[in-house]
Amino acid sequence: APPEWDWRKKGAVTKVKDQGMCGSCWAFSVTGNVEGQWFLKEGTLLSLSEQELLDCDKMDKACLGGLPSSAYMAIKSLGGLETEDDYKYLGHMEACNFSEEKVKVYINDSVDLSQNEQKLAAWLAKKGPISVAINAFGMQFYRHGIARPLRPLCSPWFIDHAVLIVGYGNRSDIPFWAIKNSWGTDWGEEGYYYLHRGSGACGVNTMATSAVVN
Amino acid sequence: RPVKPRAADSEAWELAPLELLEPARFALEMYNRGRAAGKRAMLGAVRGRVRRAGEGSLYSLEATLEETPCNDPTVCQLPVSKKTLLCSFEILDELGKHILLRRDCGPVDTKVTDNRNWTLNSFLPLLNKDSFPQDFSVKMTSVFKEFVTTYNRTYDSKEETQWRLTVFARNMVRAQKIQALDRGTAQYGVTKFSDLTEEEFHTIYLNPLLREKHSKMHPATSVNDP
């Protein structure tokens, strides 16, 4: 992997979104990944609809939570994703209003990524932002800097939040992952969370996945 | 060994205090092993979760331990101050036999260098005292007012406001503990979620389904190109 990488600087990442009072992080993590994959294949950055997943992905539970792996399957079986503008985010489940004619993006497949963080970094630099799930310990009060909670407090067994890795690097020799969250820009570092890289902090390496666009 | 159905196995449950007693006592016993009688730590607050699989249970505990640094009253300077430690334990209980897998303890006292307005430096002494200093509520009320203004909070009644202030104050102490236990450069403090209880935050914003095993997809091919 290159020593550092940031997909934000390459135009592959949409602005930070806000899931509101709804446990829909899984949808934001997945759309963020698909936005990146589409950008890398087609050269166009489109902001994609999380609400479509809340309403139409019947394998997941909208605001009560979901799994990225099921969301990829739902996107495949629905036929793709509409844009944010065409299918706006409401932050609560509504009847499915999906329209095939409005689909702007499709995916062909989805893959599980390595748990080795060096390999994850290499994959990210070449292939795009990665959907991951983490233990959100401490994030309620996180303001800035690189988080590295003690492992027992932030165990990989208690994964409860899905986010998007958009880059990595070092700050004063401390390796970090740059993580796009979905709690608005008035949280963290303009909506981003920086987590220690290389130590499996908060289970960041346990559920790394991506969509595949051919 | 036969394994129970997954749904009953994998979920990590927040435990009631009574259920924590046995693993917490074991953790304390392990901590005190080899210490002279007067130097043994005492158990403070405990909370934790358990994850059960087959006939085993893995307990993840977070506990405060109180240590008295001086055990000889004839030579101690009075008053003897207690040292509070925040510990994390992972204990495996297999067929009634406990095994300590992990122990991390550290003093709940650390230097914090946050120069922003909402620094928690002024509340640090809280962590080593049994009761709050007298000016605590005055300071906390002022920080809470700033929070309400910044995040445009409105509460339904005076009672609700008072309750949120209480939650906020507790959260400031929690944030400080988290700060003390972070080994990176992160700063913790007031955020837009500071008036929510831990339970509210988990229920509203987090995603318990992620603890379920996700369906397997193809493994991605490694990236080997320079």
Side-chain angles (χ1 to χ4, degrees), chain B residues 119-192:
Chain B
T119 171
L120 294 171
N121 286 349
S122 47
F123 305 119
L124 267 175
L126 283 175
L127 298 169
N128 289 325
K129 291 190 177 175
D130 293 336
S131 58
F132 293 162
Q134 282 182 339
D135 61 346
F136 173 76
S137 60
V138 178
K139 282 180 181 173
M140 197 52 83
T141 305
S142 156
V143 180
F144 181 64
K145 278 183 183 166
E146 212 173 329
F147 163 82
V148 167
T149 310
T150 305
Y151 293 109
N152 209 15
R153 287 285 186 280
T154 49
Y155 302 112
D156 290 342
S157 61
K158 275 188 178 175
E159 288 75 23
E160 167 80 357
T161 308
Q162 191 55 44
W163 162 244
R164 289 297 158 194
L165 169 59
T166 309
V167 171
F168 183 88
R170 279 187 201 145
N171 279 341
M172 289 305 92
V173 178
R174 274 181 62 210
Q176 193 54 61
K177 286 182 179 175
I178 293 167
Q179 180 72 68
L181 295 166
D182 194 287
R183 290 183 295 163
T185 60
Q187 296 291 310
Y188 299 88
V190 178
T191 69
K192 63 178 177 177

Side-chain angles (χ1 to χ4, degrees), chain B:
Chain B
R1 186 172 300 152
V3 175
K4 289 178 196 167
R6 245 188 46 72
D9 279 355
S10 58
E11 191 70 31
W13 300 98
E14 197 82 48
L15 287 173
L18 209 59
E19 293 174 276
L20 290 169
L21 206 56
E22 209 182 324
R25 276 185 182 156
F26 173 75
L28 183 67
E29 192 186 313
M30 295 306 287
Y31 183 85
N32 282 330
R33 184 167 280 186
R35 286 168 189 255
K39 286 197 169 181
R40 286 186 181 158
M42 307 225 307
L43 201 57
V46 189
R47 63 175 196 161
R49 291 177 173 190
V50 66
R51 190 183 172 104
R52 301 185 202 281
E55 290 174 43
S57 300
L58 182 76
Y59 292 92
S60 297
L61 305 185
E62 195 182 324
T64 56
L65 301 185
E66 302 284 347
E67 271 185 343
T68 308
C70 179
N71 68 327
D72 183 351
T74 59
V75 295
C76 295
Q77 284 190 325
L78 292 174
V80 176
S81 60
K82 282 179 182 170
K83 184 177 158 198
T84 305
L85 298 164
L86 184 59
C87 296
S88 297
F89 298 104
E90 281 193 4
I91 297 150
L92 182 68
D93 175 355
E94 213 168 13
L95 298 171
K97 190 183 174 195
H98 289 99
I99 301 160
L100 183 66
L101 299 181
R102 186 182 290 273
R103 183 188 90 182
D104 279 295
C105 290
V108 187
D109 179 17
T110 187
K111 288 191 175 71
V112 178
T113 51
D114 188 348
N115 296 322
R116 296 186 186 191
N117 288 338
W118 279 342
T119 171
L120 294 171
N121 286 349
S122 47
F123 305 119
L124 267 175
L126 283 175
L127 298 169
N128 289 325
K129 291 190 177 175
D130 293 336
S131 58
F132 293 162
Q134 282 182 339
D135 61 346
F136 173 76
S137 60
V138 178
K139 282 180 181 173
M140 197 52 83
T141 305
S142 156
V143 180
F144 181 64
K145 278 183 183 166
E146 212 173 329
F147 163 82
V148 167
T149 310
T150 305
Y151 293 109
N152 209 15
R153 287 285 186 280
T154 49
Y155 302 112
D156 290 342
S157 61
K158 275 188 178 175
E159 288 75 23
E160 167 80 357
T161 308
Q162 191 55 44
W163 162 244
R164 289 297 158 194
L165 169 59
T166 309
V167 171
F168 183 88
R170 279 187 201 145
N171 279 341
M172 289 305 92
V173 178
R174 274 181 62 210
Q176 193 54 61
K177 286 182 179 175
I178 293 167
Q179 180 72 68
L181 295 166
D182 194 287
R183 290 183 295 163
T185 60
Q187 296 291 310
Y188 299 88
V190 178
T191 69
K192 63 178 177 177
F193 305 120
S194 288
D195 61 343
L196 298 176
T197 65
E198 191 176 7
E199 193 177 13
E200 285 171 329
F201 181 73
H202 278 249
T203 309
I204 299 168
Y205 293 97
L206 299 182
N207 177 356
L209 291 189
L210 286 167
R211 287 175 200 164
E212 289 180 10
K213 200 91 182 145
H214 73 282
S215 32
K216 279 283 167 203
M217 300 178 283
H218 310 296
T221 48
S222 296
V223 173
N224 296 316
D225 296 355

Side-chain angles (χ1 to χ4, degrees), chain A residues 164-214:
Chain A
L164 184 76
I165 296 182
V166 299
Y168 62 86
N170 293 278
R171 271 190 203 167
S172 311
D173 286 338
I174 301 178
F176 67 82
W177 290 114
I179 293 176
K180 187 187 183 191
N181 200 0
S182 49
W183 292 347
T185 51
D186 57 351
W187 176 89
E189 290 194 26
E190 299 292 318
Y192 281 83
Y193 180 51
Y194 290 82
L195 183 63
H196 187 263
R197 175 169 55 97
S199 58
C202 301
V204 68
N205 55 336
T206 56
M207 205 192 281
T209 61
S210 175
V212 176
V213 179
N214 292 334

